Amino acid sequence: MSGVARLRPRLLACAGAGAFLAVLVQAAFVTGARPQDLLTGVHGMADILHRSFPPNLSLWSQAFRPTLETLDTALLGTVAGVVFAVPFAVLAARNTTPSPVLYALARGSIALFRAVPDLVWALLFVSAVGLGAFPGVLALSVHSIGMLGRLFAEVIEDIDMGPVEALSLTGAGRIAVFTHAVVPGVAPSLLGIALYRLDENIRASIVLGFVGAGGIGFQLLSAMNLFQYRDVSFYLIVNFALVIAVERASAALRKRVL
Amino acid sequence: MDEPLLDVRDLSMSWPSAERPVLRNVSLRVRSGEFVAILGANGSGKTTFLKCIVRLVTPESGSILVAGQQMAGLTGAGLQRARRNVALISQSANLVKRRSVVANVATGSLGRRPEWWTSAGALPQSELELASRYLQTVGLEHLGTQRAATLSGGQAQRVAIARALAQQPQVLLADEPVANLDPEAADDLLRLLRRLAREDGLAVCCVLHQPDLAIAYADRVVGFSDGSVAFDAVSSAVSQAMVDSLYRSEPAA
């Protein structure tokens, strides 16, 4: 092997590393990243922390309903997302779709639902149906159809087609083949994915409150706007407890079904 | 003489990209109670022949009568109905691994029970009871509540046979059902297929790669060579030379 040929992989690696570094530098430039601001902002952060302590625990009775609203927004949004994602996924999986046109339509819809962030969906639904938790439910449902539809379709595409063929040959109809050969195979995976989605939707439903979709997020934003940092710290503790509780519950459920 | 339950005449079939036809004017008749074994080298058209019968692939020409019903040319609901009369067991048992053994067997009845609740995923109690009886027939009644994923290869193949029986077909096709089994399990399975032919009057047609097993268990042995029938003889009349001739004449490239 000649010297140039031996050096070529190294040169390529150096060029690749240089290009990656250049991309990072432009990203830092565009986002205005200034690490020194972290140092100069230490006093501000310390001041906020000082003013956040102790958390205002007297708010617990007022926090109950918004917390329930956040939980219910995520729950309803996830369930509706799962219910509608399943038919979309069946149409968007190559091995179960009845026609190429429906396949393209389903894939296109799923891509659109996924591409628009849930926060944008929430803004649209707040404009359409007004403030409150319901636009949050709608936003999470539509975005979840996009996220779950794609993952469900991939799970369906990966199934063992042997049982499907075997049941088709018994003379069973398409729907019976689907419910008896496809569903038992994919149900645990779909349930596991749906539980992950519930995790994500809990966090998302907190953020949706910032744009008027109710829940604990709305309380958190209000407290921040009023510089009530002891209230903010209390609501953050509630958020943390809620997220951890749902994460633990969904992890336990996933363990049971998978 | 009885009318054959399976009556295939002049069946021809080509794959679009292949230079030579995979089946050339193949004819085969199997009567009620008969166990026919098909032998032949790889690529001789045995599996394609079975797939044509159940219409997993569409033949170019020829006639396929299953219990008097013409299968060739059928599509849609007509094909779906006609398939109830013929069951196919593959090399792989193709069970739904997360379901119980008895539920897997009962799914064989789905073609006969096209009600909305079976389509919605339910299995009628009467079919589950019937499925237990079919499990008894294949000697696995004690495994009914177990998940299909826990079965051995031989047990899974027996469950696949029980599922085929739940379909209540008149013709039973098997494509290398003993390919993944040890010799003892293979003997058991072929004994079972022979018993089903003799006692239940099924027409059984089984592709095998083991000439000794074919001769030992089948009533007739049919040799496939290069897409056509090289011989069709009662088992006792099949000689070593006839068998050897099948494996010497590999299809031309």
Side-chain angles (χ1 to χ4, degrees), chain B residues 43-98:
Chain B
S44 60
K46 310 177 300 293
T47 296
T48 307
F49 176 67
L50 296 191
K51 285 184 172 176
C52 279
I53 295 171
V54 294
R55 293 292 314 285
L56 274 176
V57 292
T58 305
E60 279 167 7
S61 61
S63 152
I64 305 162
L65 285 172
V66 172
Q69 161 91 57
Q70 181 61 258
M71 296 282 286
L74 286 177
T75 54
L79 176 60
Q80 195 182 315
R81 270 194 303 276
R83 276 177 171 166
R84 293 172 199 164
N85 277 328
V86 52
L88 174 68
I89 302 157
S90 305
Q91 194 173 326
S92 162
N94 290 332
L95 303 178
V96 180
K97 293 191 172 64
R98 283 187 167 270

Side-chain angles (χ1 to χ4, degrees), chain A residues 160 162-163 165-173 175-176 179-181 184-185 188 257-258, chain B residues 56 80 83-84 86 88 94-96 98-99 107-108 110-111 118-119 121-123 163 167:
Chain A
D160 175 11
E165 188 181 281
L167 289 202
S168 301
L169 290 177
T170 65
I175 297 174
T179 53
H180 288 276
V257 298
L258 289 175
Chain B
L56 274 176
Q80 195 182 315
R83 276 177 171 166
R84 293 172 199 164
V86 52
L88 174 68
N94 290 332
L95 303 178
V96 180
R98 283 187 167 270
R99 294 194 96 175
T107 55
L110 289 173
T118 58
S119 292
L123 288 165
R163 180 177 61 192
Q167 192 180 329

Side-chain angles (χ1 to χ4, degrees), chain A residues 22-159:
Chain A
V23 170
L24 286 184
V25 168
Q26 75 79 31
F29 181 74
V30 168
T31 57
R34 290 183 299 274
Q36 67 272 25
D37 285 1
L38 278 174
L39 294 175
T40 55
V42 160
H43 292 296
M45 289 298 292
D47 181 47
I48 288 175
L49 283 175
H50 177 70
R51 282 197 277 164
S52 303
F53 195 79
N56 186 0
L57 299 179
S58 66
L59 289 174
W60 71 268
S61 58
Q62 290 172 48
F64 179 74
R65 190 180 161 91
T67 306
L68 187 65
E69 218 170 68
T70 295
L71 185 66
D72 288 346
T73 301
L75 189 68
L76 271 184
T78 308
V79 170
V82 170
V83 167
F84 290 103
V86 168
F88 271 102
V90 172
L91 297 176
R94 284 181 202 283
N95 51 346
T96 51
T97 191
S99 90
V101 176
L102 287 172
Y103 171 82
L105 279 174
R107 282 273 167 177
S109 308
I110 286 172
L112 174 70
F113 296 153
R114 196 175 61 247
V116 178
D118 45 15
L119 207 61
V120 177
W121 283 118
L123 284 169
L124 291 172
F125 284 121
V126 164
S127 309
V129 301
L131 292 169
F134 186 52
V137 172
L138 295 174
L140 289 183
S141 312
V142 174
H143 192 63
S144 295
I145 294 170
M147 300 303 286
L148 295 174
R150 183 179 165 208
L151 294 172
F152 285 5
E154 280 170 9
V155 169
I156 294 172
E157 282 181 346
D158 281 345
I159 59 165

Side-chain angles (χ1 to χ4, degrees), chain B residues 29-48:
Chain B
R29 293 174 188 189
V30 187
R31 294 189 160 74
S32 169
E34 224 180 352
F35 180 6
V36 172
I38 300 178
L39 290 176
N42 290 331
S44 60
K46 310 177 300 293
T47 296
T48 307

